[in-house]
Amino acid sequence: MRYLPQPATDDIRFVAVMHALSDQVRLGILVTLADDAEHSCAAAAEGVDVHKSTATHHFRVLREAGLISTRQEGRSRFVRLRRADLNNRFPGVLDAALNAGSMTAEV
């Protein structure tokens, strides 16, 4: 088991977070992860209508921005929302994004 590289809490940059949140697919993935449980990448991307390689790109953007952590176990990858880190760094931003993403998903 290993964790893929991700920024430390103090290295999470607001511009990178906002860039990651600006894409509807990535926002949808985050809404799936809002339960704070660990999900397989396949489960987290369920309902997102993109090719597997495109989903991989979106997971990388989210991880490099500091929004998610990714654990690899064999050939499987598991993702989790970094809620505590994000709330510590930028209070309220994640909740606002998840709220907006939930409202968009209902439309």
Side-chain angles (χ1 to χ4, degrees):
M1 173 178 66
R2 72 180 179 102
Y3 284 87
L4 297 180
Q6 64 187 16
T9 303
D10 290 338
D11 294 333
I12 297 173
R13 299 290 170 236
F14 186 73
V15 172
V17 169
M18 296 310 288
H19 167 73
L21 293 174
S22 69
D23 186 273
Q24 194 63 40
V25 171
R26 292 191 287 265
L27 197 53
I29 291 170
L30 288 181
V31 168
T32 301
L33 298 175
D35 63 1
D36 294 322
E38 186 176 68
H39 297 263
S40 69
C41 285
E46 192 173 299
V48 176
D49 190 27
V50 294
H51 193 272
K52 184 178 177 181
S53 63
T54 304
T56 300
H57 163 75
H58 288 302
F59 283 115
R60 181 181 56 81
V61 171
L62 290 168
R63 180 178 46 83
E64 290 178 353
L67 290 158
I68 63 171
S69 64
T70 305
R71 177 176 65 87
Q72 184 168 351
E73 195 168 309
R75 292 176 48 138
S76 300
R77 290 187 178 187
F78 301 91
V79 292
R80 177 184 298 264
L81 189 61
R82 293 179 64 186
R83 185 184 298 272
D85 293 337
L86 289 160
N87 286 338
N88 182 40
R89 189 81 170 114
F90 307 111
V93 169
L94 181 61
D95 290 333
L98 291 173
N99 186 36
S102 294
M103 289 172 33
T104 304
E106 293 173 1
V107 174

